[in-house]
Amino acid sequence: MKNHSHFAHSRRQFVSGAVAAASLIGTTQLNATPQATAPAQQDTGWIDAHVHVWHPDTTRYPISTRFKTTDMQPASFTPEELFANCKPAGVKRIVLIQMSFYEFDHRYMLEAMRAHPGVFSGVALIDYRRPDLVTRMEKLAGQGMRGFRLHSQGDADQWVTDPGMAKLWAAAAEMDLAVCPLINPTDIQHVDALCAVHPDTTVVVDHFARIGVSGTIEPQFLDELCQLARFPNTHLKTSAFYALGKKSPPYKDLIPMIKRVYDSFGPERLMWASDCPYQVQDQHDYASSIALVRDHLNFLSEGDKQWMLCGTADKVFF
C-alpha cells in the first residue's frame, strides 16, 4: 500500500479531508451471507495475501529512476525478514505483490518465488498500454504470477474507456488470472464500471479500497464498496489495518467495517493480508494484524476464519 513522491497521495493521506463519521452497525446489508463451512485444506497454515519484498543491494537489483534509495523504508525486507514475522503467527504461504521500486522488473520477486517453491504466489505490475500486453501476461503467468496489479494515480476515471485496460481485463479472464486494483475510495465507481463490462474477470480489491485512510470510515464509500459484491467474481482484501481508521492496535475500531463487507461479500470472497513490511513498523506488529481476524471478530465461525485467513487466497492465488 506504500506510495511515494510520484504518486498523487502519501500513504497516510490518500484521501484529502474527512467526512463526518456515521454508525456502520445496522447499515443495510447488501447480501447477507450465512456462515460458511471451512474450505477443504490439506495444510492448516494461514496465507498472507499481500506482502512486498525488496533487497538492499540496488546494484544487483536496480530500482526505478522514479525512486531514490531513501524511499526504501525499511532499507531491506527480504523473505527471511518476512518469515521472522509471519511464521510465529502460523502463516505458511504468502502472496507477493511486486514492489513499486522495481516497477516492471520482477527479477527479485521471481528469484524469491523460485528459492521457496510452494511458499509464494505472485502479483505482477504490467504496463497495460504495451503492444505485446497479452504475450507479456502469458510469460509472467508461466513464471508463477497469478494476478496483475493496477495503481490508481488519479487516472482511474480513464480506465473504463482505455483499450489497453479492456484487453488486460479480457485476457485476465481468459487466462484465469486476477486483476488487483489499488484504488482510492473515489475510484470505486470506476472499478464498478469495469466489473460491469467484464463480469467474468476475477477481481481482488486491495485494502478496503483505502476507505479509512483519512481517519474516518466514510459511509458513502463503504456503500459503494459493498455494491461491488453483486459481481460474483469480485473479492476484497481485509488488510493494511495499520493505515486505516484510528491506525492503532488492536484495530477494533475497524470491526464494523469488516462486518459490513462480510455481510456483503461473504467470507469466501474476503482474504486477510498484512501489507508487510508496513504492518511491522512504528507501533504496529504482525501479530496484531492477524489477531484482529483470528481472535476479535466474534461474528465469524471457524469456517469463516478458514476462508478469510486461508481458503479465499488459496482459491484465487494458488
Side-chain angles (χ1 to χ4, degrees):
M1 192 173 178
K2 186 77 168 182
N3 277 5
H4 296 280
S5 58
H6 72 287
F7 292 128
H9 305 284
S10 71
R11 163 170 292 279
R12 302 187 186 279
Q13 291 182 322
F14 292 128
V15 182
S16 60
V19 181
S23 173
L24 303 180
I25 301 175
T27 306
T28 301
Q29 297 173 353
L30 182 63
N31 289 315
T33 304
Q35 290 183 331
T37 57
Q41 295 292 336
Q42 295 180 342
D43 189 325
T44 58
W46 307 128
I47 296 175
D48 189 333
H50 195 111
V51 168
H52 305 284
V53 291
W54 58 84
H55 197 281
D57 188 344
T58 56
T59 300
R60 183 178 177 186
Y61 304 103
I63 62 174
S64 166
T65 56
R66 295 203 288 176
F67 293 92
K68 303 186 291 286
T69 55
T70 52
D71 292 325
M72 301 171 70
Q73 297 295 331
S76 170
F77 199 68
T78 63
E80 290 69 31
E81 291 169 296
L82 166 64
F83 295 151
N85 286 280
C86 72
K87 286 187 176 181
V91 171
K92 295 186 177 181
R93 287 182 290 166
I94 299 101
V95 182
L96 295 180
I97 312 298
Q98 171 72 347
M99 188 57 207
S100 301
F101 303 147
Y102 298 126
E103 289 195 322
F104 308 123
D105 180 354
H106 296 84
R107 283 179 296 166
Y108 183 60
M109 189 164 76
L110 289 169
E111 284 185 16
M113 292 167 67
R114 288 192 296 266
H116 302 278
V119 174
F120 293 127
S121 182
V123 171
L125 288 178
I126 196 164
D127 180 0
Y128 57 87
R129 295 185 174 94
R130 58 185 296 158
D132 62 341
L133 172 64
V134 175
T135 301
R136 180 62 176 159
M137 291 174 68
E138 290 173 342
K139 181 177 180 180
L140 287 166
Q143 294 173 310
M145 300 297 179
R146 297 296 307 150
F148 296 94
R149 196 180 204 203
L150 304 178
H151 280 286
S152 171
Q153 300 181 50
D155 60 348
D157 60 331
Q158 303 170 32
W159 288 357
V160 181
T161 57
D162 190 292
M165 187 66 73
K167 186 184 295 185
L168 171 66
W169 282 61
E174 181 69 24
M175 290 185 265
D176 193 24
L177 302 172
V179 173
C180 305
L182 174 64
I183 57 174
N184 294 313
T186 53
D187 299 323
I188 296 170
Q189 60 183 313
H190 307 306
V191 170
D192 190 293
L194 278 163
C195 289
V197 176
H198 304 280
D200 295 331
T201 303
T202 298
V203 178
V204 183
V205 177
D206 288 345
H207 311 321
F208 298 95
R210 293 167 165 166
I211 293 170
V213 171
S214 66
T216 299
I217 308 300
E218 302 93 344
Q220 76 276 24
F221 291 133
L222 187 55
D223 287 344
E224 291 183 21
L225 181 64
C226 289
Q227 285 290 329
L228 291 177
R230 74 187 189 277
F231 303 108
N233 291 314
T234 299
H235 306 72
L236 178 67
K237 288 179 187 171
T238 55
S239 52
F241 302 144
Y242 68 91
L244 306 177
K246 295 180 180 178
K247 306 178 177 67
S248 179
Y251 315 115
K252 290 186 179 181
D253 62 300
L254 302 179
I255 291 177
M257 179 165 68
I258 299 173
K259 179 63 163 61
R260 179 74 191 285
V261 299
Y262 166 85
D263 288 338
S264 297
F265 287 87
E268 302 95 331
R269 291 195 284 153
L270 300 179
M271 59 183 80
W272 165 79
S274 68
D275 193 24
C276 270
Y278 306 112
Q279 178 58 48
V280 294
Q281 293 184 304
D282 303 323
Q283 78 271 29
H284 305 283
D285 61 90
Y286 198 93
S288 295
S289 176
I290 194 169
L292 180 61
V293 175
R294 187 191 62 214
D295 303 330
H296 301 307
L297 303 184
N298 295 332
F299 54 88
L300 296 182
S301 69
E302 289 305 311
D304 294 339
K305 293 177 185 179
Q306 286 287 335
W307 277 110
M308 291 182 65
L309 294 172
C310 183
T312 306
D314 183 58
K315 174 184 67 175
V316 174
F317 291 119
F318 285 90

